[in-house]
């Protein structure tokens, strides 16, 4: 559920007509609904009821400070994948003590910063990384709390670019090597085993791969506990999918039932790392139509947002709903909605039936809150979009549109 609704033929975010935001701030602009963000956080948390759990919002889905601040205010922790994300969490007032750090390529500098900040858990992805973390811990005179991210070799049945739990994936430690690595870690002075972790992929729309993976991982957790490793946390990763078009992902309740059934009797405190499920349907990208162009083959609509603003269609063949901000009547024609970027993959919506858009008309790419702005770039020397947070009848710019001078910040000709 989200708080983007039609009122008198105009698309609103909560109580604010999106046309008002587009007129004041320009386009392209990302708009987020704080009521939707809050609701998603609460629904996921409430689904886990009394079971001890910590929601560590996956920062890479959308790392905008205002969003981090909102989740932090709801008691959330964070799942980070770089030192830059740690700095963002702290800048937003987030709690390092509720932050977990994943990623196959953490540098020793990033590990040092995270250990000094007092993060909850390093999710370690290889034996060599564990040795590096041990060295960092010894250097700082501390034991770095770690969980091994194990690879359960389960097919997440999602797009191959966002599947991470197969044997052929670069992520995690092979399941069979985990026991030996925990045994080795016991002799290290700079680390201490605190948990076990897995994350099998993103935009998961079925419960069965989660169940299969977590059943394996929970079994390993019990085995490690029996071997007297002092584990306290079972990090089940993120990946819960959302509806972009006609997908029917598990509801938060079904997701929680699946996780709880697979991990029961472990006695572990659960760590959840939802990203997309919290922010995806809480954001839209506003864009304005520039031109139409008819070729013998196709009807194109050129808009002012491009793949540098929203790369998911080009990168993942992803679908985003497209809505006019002011409802129109008429016969639908099939159009390709394309951006200004000089790449053939800069197609934001393919073969979409739309009442032929007019130049100057405003549209919203829906479900753009996750992996939208956080993946935006300056490709084609395009300033990145502005971002707006709506709260009831009020709204504010939470990130200014980049200015042209920002494009060469730090450069020397
Ligand atoms: C990306 C990522 C997540 C979040 O994935 P979503 O599909 O956005 O929920 C969680 N954990 C790790 C380790 C990740 O890399």
């Amino acid at each position: 559920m989200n708080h983007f609704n039609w009122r008198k033929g105009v698309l609103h975010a909560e109580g604010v007509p999106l046309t008002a935001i587009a007129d004041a701030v320009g386009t392209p602009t990302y708009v987020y609904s704080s009521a939707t963000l809050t609701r998603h956080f609460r629904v996921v948390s409430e689904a886990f009821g009394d079971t001890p759990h910590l929601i560590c919002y996956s920062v890479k889905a959308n790392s905008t400070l205002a969003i981090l601040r909102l989740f932090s205010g709801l008691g959330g922790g964070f799942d980070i994948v770089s030192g830059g994300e740690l700095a963002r969490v702290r800048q937003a007032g987030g709690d390092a003590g509720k932050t977990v750090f994943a990623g196959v390529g953490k540098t020793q500098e990033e590990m040092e910063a995270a250990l000094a900040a007092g993060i909850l858990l390093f999710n370690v992805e290889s034996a060599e990384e564990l040795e590096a973390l041990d060295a960092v811990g010894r250097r700082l005179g501390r034991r770095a709390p770690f969980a091994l991210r194990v690879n359960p070799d389960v097919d997440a049945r999602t797009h191959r670019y966002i599947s991470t739990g197969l044997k052929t994936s670069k992520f995690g430690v092979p399941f069979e090597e985990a026991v030996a690595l925990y045994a080795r870690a016991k002799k290290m002075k700079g680390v201490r085993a605190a948990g076990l972790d897995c994350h099998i992929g993103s935009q998961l729309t079925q419960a069965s791969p989660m169940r299969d993976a977590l059943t394996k991982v929970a079994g390993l957790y019990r085995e490690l506990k029996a071997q007297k490793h002092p584990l306290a946390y079972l990090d089940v990763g993120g990946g819960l999918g959302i509806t972009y078009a006609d997908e029917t992902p598990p509801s938060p309740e079904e997701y929680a039932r699946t996780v709880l059934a697979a991990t029961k009797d472990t006695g572990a405190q659960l760590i959840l790392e939802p990203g997309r499920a919290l922010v995806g349907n809480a954001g839209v990208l506003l864009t304005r139509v520039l031109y139409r162009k008819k070729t013998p083959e196709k009807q194109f609509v050129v808009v002012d947002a491009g793949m540098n603003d929203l790369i998911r269609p080009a990168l993942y063949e992803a679908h985003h709903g497209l809505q006019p901000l002011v409802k129109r009547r008429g016969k639908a024609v099939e159009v390709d909605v394309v951006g200004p970027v000089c790449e053939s993959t800069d197609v934001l919506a393919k073969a979409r039936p739309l009442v032929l858009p007019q130049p100057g008309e405003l549209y919203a790419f829906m479900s753009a809150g996750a992996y939208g702005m956080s993946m935006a770039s300056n490709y084609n020397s395009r300033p990145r979009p502005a971002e707006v947070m709506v709260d009831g009848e009020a709204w504010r710019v939470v990130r200014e549109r980049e200015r042209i001078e920002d494009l060469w910040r730090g450069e020397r000709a």
Side-chain angles (χ1 to χ4, degrees):
M1 209 210 102
N2 61 62
H3 292 80
F4 294 95
N5 300 300
W6 294 96
R7 292 192 191 174
K8 298 203 172 100
V10 178
L11 191 60
H12 282 59
E14 305 185 30
V16 178
L18 289 170
T19 45
I21 295 174
D23 289 341
V25 181
T27 50
T29 293
Y30 279 99
V31 180
Y32 309 111
S33 153
S34 58
T36 310
L37 294 164
T38 302
R39 181 176 191 281
H40 288 171
F41 185 95
R42 294 218 167 113
V43 165
V44 172
S45 186
E46 281 160 18
F48 284 84
D50 297 336
T51 305
H53 65 276
L54 176 64
I55 297 185
C56 289
Y57 164 64
S58 185
V59 172
K60 75 180 191 289
N62 189 321
S63 55
T64 297
L65 295 181
I67 287 180
L68 304 182
R69 169 72 58 96
L70 187 150
F71 288 139
S72 170
L74 295 172
F78 298 95
D79 159 44
I80 59 168
V81 292
S82 72
E85 286 192 348
L86 175 63
R88 277 189 168 277
V89 165
R90 302 182 83 194
Q91 182 67 21
D95 186 350
K98 292 182 180 172
T99 297
V100 300
F101 190 176
V104 297
K106 304 173 194 79
T107 65
Q108 292 209 13
E109 291 74 25
E110 288 176 312
M111 292 175 182
E112 250 181 68
L115 185 55
I119 68 161
L120 180 63
L121 211 53
F122 288 87
N123 287 335
V124 168
E125 307 220 15
S126 67
E128 291 193 0
E129 185 196 330
L130 184 64
E131 285 160 17
L133 184 61
D134 177 43
V136 168
R138 282 184 282 122
R139 211 154 53 227
L140 267 60
R142 299 221 200 155
R143 284 183 180 264
F146 80 93
L148 279 191
R149 175 175 177 175
V150 290
N151 184 329
D153 192 27
V154 165
D155 184 353
R157 281 182 261 158
T158 181
H159 192 278
R160 66 190 190 287
Y161 286 3
I162 49 176
S163 183
T164 58
L166 279 172
K167 265 188 179 149
T168 48
S169 152
K170 74 172 178 180
F171 295 102
V173 173
F175 199 81
E176 302 70 27
E177 295 172 19
V179 166
L181 257 180
Y182 276 96
R184 256 178 76 193
K186 233 178 192 167
K187 303 189 189 94
M188 297 178 177
K189 299 267 181 294
V191 294
R192 73 183 160 81
L196 182 64
D197 170 49
C198 81
H199 171 72
I200 59 168
S202 199
Q203 183 55 10
L204 309 180
T205 55
Q206 298 171 44
S208 56
M210 306 177 191
R211 182 173 52 237
D212 296 348
L214 292 179
T215 301
K216 278 182 88 167
V217 172
L220 177 59
Y221 187 92
R222 292 189 198 93
E223 186 181 339
L224 291 164
K225 287 290 277 187
Q227 294 168 3
K228 303 285 184 251
H229 293 288
L231 308 188
Y233 299 102
L234 183 50
D235 184 336
V236 303
L240 179 59
I242 66 170
T243 303
Y244 287 100
D246 49 11
E247 306 91 331
T248 52
S251 66
E253 293 74 23
E254 188 187 352
Y255 172 68
R257 271 198 303 278
T258 305
V259 172
L260 291 172
T263 59
K264 67 173 188 295
D265 307 332
T266 57
Q269 158 141 10
L270 296 179
I271 295 176
L272 318 166
E273 301 175 346
R276 190 190 310 271
L278 298 189
V279 296
N281 281 323
V284 301
L285 174 62
L286 305 184
T287 188
R288 204 179 274 279
V289 175
L290 295 174
Y291 310 110
R292 286 90 53 91
K293 169 163 156 174
K294 197 164 167 49
T295 68
E297 302 298 321
K298 279 193 187 261
Q299 174 71 59
F300 290 102
V301 175
V302 185
V303 296
D304 67 0
M307 64 185 282
N308 71 297
D309 305 304
L310 178 62
I311 203 176
R312 297 189 65 259
L315 187 60
Y316 304 130
E317 304 168 320
H319 174 100
H320 285 274
L322 182 60
Q323 298 285 354
L325 297 197
V326 181
K327 237 180 198 151
R328 296 186 49 209
R329 286 178 205 288
K331 195 163 111 338
V333 292
E334 191 169 281
V335 302
D336 275 12
V337 180
V338 302
V341 172
C342 295
E343 292 285 340
S344 294
T345 52
D346 188 23
V347 180
L348 292 160
K350 215 178 179 66
R352 251 357 127 71
L354 286 181
V355 179
L356 188 63
Q358 307 290 319
E361 217 184 329
L362 292 163
Y363 281 77
F365 288 101
M366 308 305 288
S367 312
Y371 306 101
M373 188 62 181
S374 62
M375 289 183 136
S377 78
N378 293 121
Y379 187 43
N380 277 208
S381 284
R382 289 168 48 81
R384 289 182 302 162
E387 292 177 290
V388 165
M389 182 71 75
V390 171
D391 186 357
E393 311 277 314
W395 61 272
R396 64 193 175 101
V397 173
V398 294
R399 186 199 304 247
E400 290 172 15
R401 183 177 311 289
E402 272 182 333
R403 294 160 308 166
I404 287 294
E405 311 86 84
D406 294 330
L407 291 175
W408 50 81
R409 190 160 43 107
E411 284 188 50
R412 285 162 189 78

